[in-house]
Amino acid sequence: MSHSENTTPDNTAEDAAATIYGPSDHLIRKNLIDDDAKKICYRLQRAGFKAYVVGGGVRDLTLGKEPKDFDISTDATPREIKSLFRNCRIIGRRFKLAHLYFAHGKNIEVSTFRDTIDPPEPTEGDQSAAGPVLNDNIYGTEVSDAFRRDITINGLFLDVSTMEILDYVGGMQDLRDGIVRVIGEPIQRFREDPVRMLRVVRHSARNGFRIESGCWTSILENAELITQSSQVRVFDELKKDFSSGCFLTILHLLGETGILEYILPELLENNGRLLSAESDFSQCLERVDDLVVEGEPVSATVILTIIAMFTAGDSIWLADLAERLPEASDLSERLSSCFTRLVVPKKERERIQLLLGLWSKVRGISPKALKPNAYKRSPILPDLVALLEITCLTREDAQRVQLLRPLLHLDDDHSHDGHHHHRKPHR
Ligand code: ATP
Ligand code: MG
């Protein structure tokens, strides 16, 4: 697997010059950038440091989308950042970065420029919890920080003072052309951190961008590398896929690349009939994606439960599942055969089992006999309602959702109305 090739990729960090896109060369307007993110940059710059909005924020704004969050990169060290901001906490062990905290639970990540280094190639069967990403705890320069990033469209730097975009990696052109391209040599970057293969797929699906052909080939040839990655990180990236609004597309791409075999092989059984367009599994995931796009997030528990119930029930038809899913007593045994390649945390497995048990039970009760109050106190009521809604087939299914849904709003009133009439009792 390891060629002793010392060739450097074309876009090497050394002596790289940025292409600078002025305010009239892109669509980002200052008022679209989060006020706190701007203030952080201004304060760092006034103190003599460099500071840029980086990563997904610049990408999404350039595409005319609303970013999920704004990350900042700077040449100030975490210690220097902390001395400038009171609302700052330093996190991380190997690579330290600063989190700045704001009202309503908002926080903005301020990261010191990272170095691009060639970490040692993962040794055969290296399963250490940390995974192959090593030695990241070295600060770098603006240039190295651009080149250590995963794909070109994520490698842009925005200076909020001048509203210039600094592009060291060709990301602007790729944004315009709709291309996902790895920064540097794909195989090398995937060996350093196999999770990047998942990121390539996600960003392609999310934006409808095509994957650059060398990158695509490299993933096809090296899909198995994903098994070298930290299981925790794979699960974390997969959760981002869940909430992407295009999870079904991502699953198809992961299937095509061969990666799926190493993380969710259960979806490939029986010639991949679960992923065929007509299966109820696909229909359910389409509903999940629709809900997410409409701004109604679906929890990871619900999505994992959908995967689990079709796997454990061994059918692509919802109508079969209710009778095929065993009683709660041996449900846990059935569930232990799900997620064989994915490390799902124990707590999450317990929630899945609880939710699946409740779902089966409720589906077995006729709407007339259903007593909504019995579920009022269930900690997973929102997930139960979401799952019933996503798996709704018949008029009776719809009636059950209608009976249980109002309980959610009851709950809402209690938590949000605290400042009105009734004060929350001390517990
Ligand atoms: P999202 O909109 O999902 O948050 P994002 O691009 O901001 O997308 P993050 O996971 O928040 O994704 O990462 C922030 C930035 O950090 C990315 O834009 C990318 O530049 C860089 N990055 C993240 N993960 C990696 C990785 N595995 N290897 C290299 N760079 C990475
Ligand atoms: Mg982000």
Side-chain angles (χ1 to χ4, degrees), residues 54-57 59-60 67-69 71 109 133 145-146 148-151 153-156 183 189 192-196 199 202-203 206 233 237 240:
V54 294
R59 176 199 67 224
D60 289 346
K68 222 170 44 194
D69 45 32
D71 296 328
E109 199 173 283
V133 183
D145 193 73
R148 64 97 188 167
R149 291 174 185 274
D150 52 353
I151 55 179
I153 59 172
N154 285 345
L156 299 168
I183 297 172
R189 302 307 310 281
E192 283 170 18
D193 182 6
V195 151
R196 288 175 186 146
R199 297 181 56 87
R202 179 167 67 252
H203 284 103
R206 210 159 65 168
R233 292 192 58 228
E237 291 292 330
K240 295 185 200 171

Side-chain angles (χ1 to χ4, degrees), residues 288-427:
V288 166
D289 284 339
D290 287 345
L291 285 170
V292 172
V293 170
E294 286 160 20
E296 263 192 70
V298 179
S299 76
T301 306
V302 169
I303 295 171
L304 289 164
T305 304
I306 294 171
I307 296 173
M309 68 194 206
F310 282 93
T311 311
D314 194 26
S315 171
I316 65 168
W317 306 116
L318 272 171
D320 288 347
L321 294 187
E323 55 188 77
R324 288 208 194 186
L325 283 174
E327 294 300 303
S329 53
D330 38 49
L331 193 58
S332 93
E333 197 189 321
R334 277 283 194 113
L335 283 177
S336 63
S337 66
C338 303
F339 309 121
T340 49
R341 300 299 295 259
L342 195 66
V343 174
V344 179
K346 188 157 169 278
K347 267 236 164 77
E348 191 69 84
R349 281 189 187 266
E350 286 166 3
R351 275 199 297 266
I352 293 167
Q353 186 176 340
L354 186 63
L355 179 56
L356 197 47
L358 269 182
W359 178 84
S360 296
K361 186 174 155 195
V362 169
R363 299 243 312 179
I365 304 173
S366 84
K368 274 193 201 117
L370 187 67
K371 298 195 175 64
N373 280 340
Y375 305 90
K376 207 165 68 179
R377 300 249 165 266
S378 170
I380 54 165
L381 180 68
D383 282 347
L384 177 62
V385 174
L387 188 59
L388 285 167
E389 200 164 333
I390 290 162
T391 57
C392 180
L393 280 182
T394 64
R395 239 178 64 137
E396 292 207 327
D397 291 338
Q399 286 169 343
R400 282 187 279 262
V401 173
Q402 271 167 21
L403 284 166
L404 291 175
R405 183 172 263 293
L407 299 176
L408 294 178
H409 303 303
L410 271 183
D411 225 48
D412 273 2
D413 287 349
H414 284 307
S415 49
H416 295 312
D417 263 15
H419 57 285
H420 281 153
H421 313 297
H422 25 255
R423 216 171 267 169
K424 268 193 187 147
H426 287 291
R427 269 178 292 178

Side-chain angles (χ1 to χ4, degrees), residues 9-176:
D10 289 331
N11 43 0
T12 173
E14 276 165 57
D15 303 325
T19 304
I20 296 174
Y21 294 86
S24 56
D25 301 327
H26 58 78
L27 293 172
I28 306 179
R29 297 295 158 256
K30 219 173 220 177
N31 64 319
L32 298 175
I33 301 162
D34 181 86
D35 283 337
D36 293 316
K38 275 184 291 203
K39 283 184 205 160
I40 294 168
C41 289
Y42 295 149
R43 190 181 294 185
L44 283 164
Q45 290 175 343
R46 268 202 312 275
F49 297 108
K50 293 180 177 179
Y52 302 102
V53 171
V54 294
V58 187
R59 176 199 67 224
D60 289 346
L61 284 175
T62 305
L63 290 170
K65 295 184 182 177
E66 193 187 334
K68 222 170 44 194
D69 45 32
F70 290 86
D71 296 328
I72 291 167
S73 272
T74 175
D75 59 354
T77 64
R79 205 183 282 272
E80 289 166 330
I81 300 166
K82 196 169 168 73
S83 74
L84 285 173
F85 300 93
R86 272 188 311 153
N87 53 333
C88 173
R89 191 179 299 164
I90 295 173
I91 60 149
R93 268 191 301 166
R94 255 181 310 154
F95 188 87
K96 305 218 181 305
L97 36 90
H99 272 186
L100 301 193
Y101 294 86
F102 298 90
H104 311 297
K106 177 166 107 182
N107 71 72
I108 295 183
E109 199 173 283
V110 184
S111 172
T112 308
F113 293 142
R114 292 197 192 196
D115 208 350
T116 9
I117 16 150
D118 280 327
E121 287 191 359
T123 46
E124 207 72 1
D126 178 10
Q127 295 282 3
S128 66
V133 183
L134 296 166
N135 288 327
D136 245 354
N137 196 12
I138 298 167
Y139 302 120
T141 64
E142 162 183 324
V143 181
S144 68
D145 193 73
F147 281 94
R148 64 97 188 167
R149 291 174 185 274
D150 52 353
I151 55 179
T152 60
I153 59 172
N154 285 345
L156 299 168
F157 290 28
L158 172 69
D159 183 331
V160 297
S161 298
T162 61
M163 288 308 285
E164 285 175 337
I165 292 178
L166 280 68
D167 181 1
Y168 290 95
V169 295
M172 280 301 259
Q173 194 57 47
D174 286 340
L175 272 177
R176 286 172 183 163

